[in-house]
Amino acid sequence: MSSKNNESATTTPSVVIDDKKKNEEIPLSFTEVSGMIETNIRMPLKAFIKSGVDMTNTMLFALEESTDGIRKPVLSATTMALQEGKVIGSKASNLYSHRREYSSQLIVGAGLLGGLIGLRRGRISAVTFGSIGSFLTYLGTYEVDLNEFSSKIFNQKVDLNENYRRLFNW
């Protein structure tokens, strides 16, 4: 460095120019120094950030491919199941609206099904399960009001809702 500015407390960066005057140092300005810092520090930093972003994009692409491999079959199966569910639901709704036309078949079918289930435990349980199944199917098919049903059986008016309230302390 030159000793021209001995009075100044700070030193300014300088560079040696390879000219006729090899021993002479030329002071650099602040913008030139910041440009050198930018070139020396920012370029490797940009390269590091770019490689990090590229690696992250590669990992995200692999993750997306693996989730698509799972999601697409599940989504197609779910879509097919929902479509079939709509068809079955509409058929069940249609059958429910016409249930009184097939009431005898429903009651006998429920009795046979209950009997087959109960047959594993013996003849008496088969008859019991069949009777209960038929009875419950009869109640559901003809929409029997349970309050009126209990009054016909016991010859008194019994409010089942009140019994439930007492039972559960509502």
Side-chain angles (χ1 to χ4, degrees):
M1 279 196 170
S2 71
S3 59
K4 291 181 182 177
N5 295 337
N6 286 341
E7 296 93 74
S8 68
T10 61
T11 60
T12 59
S14 60
V15 77
V16 177
I17 303 273
D18 212 13
D19 275 1
K20 298 174 190 172
K21 307 172 189 173
K22 283 191 175 185
N23 294 333
E24 184 180 337
E25 295 179 0
I26 301 173
L28 296 174
S29 68
F30 176 74
T31 57
E32 291 172 334
V33 171
S34 66
M36 289 174 65
I37 291 173
E38 241 180 71
T39 305
N40 292 336
I41 294 175
R42 279 197 167 182
M43 296 307 282
L45 186 62
K46 283 182 180 180
F48 176 73
I49 291 172
K50 185 176 189 235
S51 67
V53 167
D54 289 342
M55 189 176 1
T56 303
N57 286 341
T58 304
M59 288 174 29
L60 288 174
F61 179 73
L63 180 68
E64 184 178 0
E65 278 185 337
S66 65
T67 56
D68 279 349
I70 295 170
R71 182 182 47 177
K72 285 182 181 178
V74 169
L75 187 62
S76 66
T78 305
T79 305
M80 287 176 55
L82 288 176
Q83 289 172 348
E84 290 298 318
K86 279 184 181 180
V87 171
I88 291 171
S90 66
K91 286 181 181 178
S93 174
N94 191 21
L95 284 174
Y96 182 76
S97 63
H98 297 292
R99 69 188 179 280
R100 290 197 177 145
E101 296 173 16
Y102 307 106
S103 61
S104 60
Q105 291 93 338
L106 289 172
I107 293 169
V108 169
L112 287 176
L113 183 64
L116 288 175
I117 291 172
L119 195 58
R120 294 179 55 194
R121 304 216 183 255
R123 286 180 278 179
I124 295 175
S125 5
V127 171
T128 305
F129 280 117
S131 300
I132 290 173
S134 295
F135 178 70
L136 292 176
T137 305
Y138 175 84
L139 292 178
T141 303
Y142 292 110
E143 298 176 358
V144 176
D145 186 16
L146 294 179
N147 286 328
E148 290 179 21
F149 186 72
S150 64
S151 67
K152 288 179 183 176
I153 292 175
F154 301 114
N155 291 330
Q156 60 184 5
K157 181 72 174 167
V158 176
D159 188 11
L160 293 178
N161 293 331
E162 183 62 35
N163 290 339
Y164 288 129
R165 276 190 229 119
R166 272 190 267 137
L167 181 65
F168 295 112
N169 294 326
W170 288 345

